[in-house]
């Protein structure tokens, strides 16, 4: 229950940080695009990003992230 409340607070307060990972063509060494990665703020309830998204997948909040 604490995790669900924390997740809803993260969504409500927009406490996700977006990072853009370049996608590089290894032959030409040119950036050909970017992958957007959303990361939650650090929390004691979610020890890792994997744990955070695993929990999100078990809720009805998937499409709000």
């Amino acid at each position: 229950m604490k995790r669900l409340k924390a997740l809803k607070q993260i969504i409500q307060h927009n406490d996700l940080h977006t990072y853009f990972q370049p996608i590089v063509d290894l032959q030409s060494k040119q950036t050909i695009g970017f992958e957007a990665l959303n990361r939650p703020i650090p929390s004691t309830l979610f020890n890792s990003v994997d744990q955070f998204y695993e929990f999100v997948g078990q809720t009805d909040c998937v499409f709000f992230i």
Side-chain angles (χ1 to χ4, degrees), residues 23-64:
I23 300 170
V24 177
D25 180 318
L26 296 178
Q27 291 181 352
S28 68
K29 296 185 173 68
Q30 292 185 344
T31 300
I32 58 173
F34 293 89
E35 176 183 17
L37 305 168
N38 287 324
R39 299 292 182 249
I41 59 169
S43 168
T44 57
L45 295 174
F46 304 107
N47 295 325
S48 69
V49 173
D50 291 337
Q51 191 179 62
F52 174 77
Y53 279 107
E54 182 178 329
F55 179 76
V56 170
Q58 299 169 9
T59 71
D60 62 348
C61 299
V62 170
F63 297 105
F64 296 106

